[in-house]
Amino acid sequence: MIISKKHNLHTLSTPIMLGVMASCKYIIKKPADCLLAELFHFYLLLKKGNKVSTKDLSQKIHNCEFLAFCYLENRLVGISAIKRPAKSYIEEVHRKAGVWRNIEEYIFEVGYSFTEDDVRRLGISGTLKQMLQEKIIHHHGMVFSTTAVQTSQRFLKSQGFVACGNPYQGKYDDNIIYFEKRI
C-alpha cells in the first residue's frame, strides 16, 4: 500500500522552506511491497546516519512493519520505520534504560529515522513518523522509541509518548532517552 501526503505548509515561514516542502513526496510501504532499489536506498540512507549497526541490517529492514520515504525531486531525503523488534532487543533496551515492564506488550518501535542535513528542521521526520503512527492505530499494545536527538524527543512527547527510566549510553549516542506509548 502506498500513501502519499503533502506537508502542512502553514507551519513553514520562508519561501525557500515552502518551495522545498511543496516538492516533497511522502510514501509509506510494507517492505514486501518495496522495490529492491527502494530497500537499497533506505539501507544506504540509514547507514549514512551512522546510528545503527550494519550487522543484519538488511534483514532487520525487511522485518519492519512499515517503511516511510520522503522524496524531494526524486531524491530520497528522509526515512523512518515502524520496526518489529526482537524480544531480546526489547529486554536490552529496557535494561539499559532501567525500565521493567512485561515485554509481551511491546509490539512496535518507531525508529530508523534519518533526514539529509540540507533539509533538516523542515518537519520531514515528524511527518514521516506521524504517517507511520496512523498505520498502526488499529493495533493494541505498547510502542516505544529511543533517541538522543532533542527535536525527536520533543516530537515524541507531542505525540503522547512518555519518557521513562534513565538516560543511557548507547553505542552511537550519549544520553539516549526511552519513550513509550500505548496504542
Side-chain angles (χ1 to χ4, degrees), residues 53-64:
S53 168
T54 56
K55 183 178 188 251
D56 300 324
L57 185 56
S58 291
Q59 181 181 4
K60 290 175 183 175
I61 291 169
H62 282 276
N63 190 51
C64 289

Side-chain angles (χ1 to χ4, degrees), residues 100-111:
W100 310 108
R101 307 270 196 273
N102 175 6
I103 65 164
E104 300 302 321
E105 289 187 81
Y106 291 83
I107 55 175
F108 296 124
E109 177 185 13
V110 178

Side-chain angles (χ1 to χ4, degrees), residues 154-165:
R154 284 192 297 275
F155 171 81
L156 290 167
K157 288 177 187 175
S158 77
Q159 297 297 302
F161 283 81
V162 177
C164 301

Side-chain angles (χ1 to χ4, degrees), residues 45-176:
L45 202 56
L46 187 56
K47 185 177 167 188
K48 182 177 182 180
N50 201 31
K51 300 281 186 183
V52 296
S53 168
T54 56
K55 183 178 188 251
D56 300 324
L57 185 56
S58 291
Q59 181 181 4
K60 290 175 183 175
I61 291 169
H62 282 276
N63 190 51
C64 289
E65 185 74 10
F66 292 102
L67 300 178
F69 304 83
C70 176
Y71 292 93
L72 176 60
E73 298 174 359
N74 296 320
R75 177 176 71 120
L76 183 60
V77 296
I79 56 170
S80 193
I82 295 292
K83 299 161 53 176
R84 292 187 298 212
K87 286 183 171 61
S88 60
Y89 173 74
I90 298 169
E91 288 171 345
E92 178 185 346
V93 169
H94 281 190
R95 181 184 50 75
K96 287 180 180 178
V99 174
W100 310 108
R101 307 270 196 273
N102 175 6
I103 65 164
E104 300 302 321
E105 289 187 81
Y106 291 83
I107 55 175
F108 296 124
E109 177 185 13
V110 178
Y112 290 161
S113 300
F114 178 77
T115 305
E116 289 280 13
D117 287 340
D118 62 326
V119 292
R120 285 197 179 152
R121 305 193 58 82
L122 297 178
I124 290 171
S125 182
T127 300
L128 291 171
K129 288 184 245 186
Q130 279 181 320
M131 291 175 70
L132 285 166
Q133 286 183 83
E134 290 170 11
K135 297 297 293 174
I136 61 170
I137 58 173
H138 63 281
H139 292 275
H140 299 286
M142 297 297 287
V143 178
F144 73 97
S145 188
T146 61
T147 184
V149 178
Q150 289 186 354
T151 53
S152 292
Q153 293 170 4
R154 284 192 297 275
F155 171 81
L156 290 167
K157 288 177 187 175
S158 77
Q159 297 297 302
F161 283 81
V162 177
C164 301
N166 302 306
Y168 65 92
Q169 171 69 42
K171 186 174 180 180
Y172 302 97
D173 276 317
D174 297 328
N175 252 355
I176 296 173

